[in-house]
Structures are given as C-alpha cells and as structure tokens.
Amino acid sequence: AVVSTQSGHYGRDNTMGKRANVDTTKLRESVWYFTQQLLGVYFTDFDYGLVKSMLPDNFKDYISVTVLTPEKLQEDNFRFTGFTYSEKVHFSLIMMESRFQATFCYGLKALD
C-alpha cells in the first residue's frame, strides 16, 4: 500500500468532482504509480492496467508534464475535467511526493 497517498485527511472526503461517496483509493494509487513509472520505478505487485482504466489521456499528459518538465506547465494543462481545483492540487501533491520518493531512492542507490 502507498502510505503517502493514504495518510492525513486531505483527499479522504470520499468525493470526486461533484460526486459523493466515491472511493478514490484506486485513483490516487494510479496517480502515484504512474508517476513512479514515468521515473523508471516499477512495482511487481501493482496492476498497471489500472492506470490505463483510471486515468484519461489528458490527465496522464498533465501528470507527465508536471513530473518530467514542470517548467513547461501551462494553464491548458489544468483543463482536464471532472475534478475540482482542490482535487487537482491534491493530485499535484501526490505527484510531487511520489517524484520525491523515486528520486530519493535513486540517490540512495547511487551511494551504494
């Protein structure tokens, strides 16, 4: 389980956009693991088919730009629909935590 996407209170209000009582665990995990995948970190116990089913192409594009080339982010990248602004910020935090973990692991491996 991914501790970083499940800790704290943010993102755990069981809403997604205008829908209530939604379990967002798989969506948050998909964002986490897709971010790790972009950085070359793969997990054998995660079903990457979930990423394909949970994340629309424009959302994956947003994640890719945010994680790999954040300096190229533009307003158009935030136009994917279905989520509130606070949810988009939440996803950005998940991406940045996941990116930090991946780069930190690479740093530790370099010291080995």
Side-chain angles (χ1 to χ4, degrees), residues 58-76:
N58 60 351
F59 193 13
K60 286 191 277 191
D61 292 341
Y62 166 69
I63 295 170
S64 297
V65 172
T66 302
V67 171
L68 300 174
T69 54
E71 68 278 4
K72 293 182 180 178
L73 271 174
Q74 296 181 5
E75 188 176 340
D76 288 345

Side-chain angles (χ1 to χ4, degrees), residues 11-16 18-25:
R12 299 293 298 208
D13 60 356
N14 295 325
T15 62
M16 188 167 67
K18 295 182 180 185
R19 295 180 291 188
N21 299 319
V22 178
D23 183 4
T24 60
T25 303

Side-chain angles (χ1 to χ4, degrees), residues 54-93:
M54 295 296 294
L55 304 178
D57 288 340
N58 60 351
F59 193 13
K60 286 191 277 191
D61 292 341
Y62 166 69
I63 295 170
S64 297
V65 172
T66 302
V67 171
L68 300 174
T69 54
E71 68 278 4
K72 293 182 180 178
L73 271 174
Q74 296 181 5
E75 188 176 340
D76 288 345
N77 296 114
F78 295 95
R79 296 196 195 274
F80 58 94
T81 59
F83 302 104
T84 64
Y85 287 113
S86 64
E87 289 168 335
K88 292 176 184 180
V89 170
H90 176 108
F91 292 131
S92 296
L93 290 171

Side-chain angles (χ1 to χ4, degrees), residues 27 29 110:
L27 176 62
E29 286 182 350

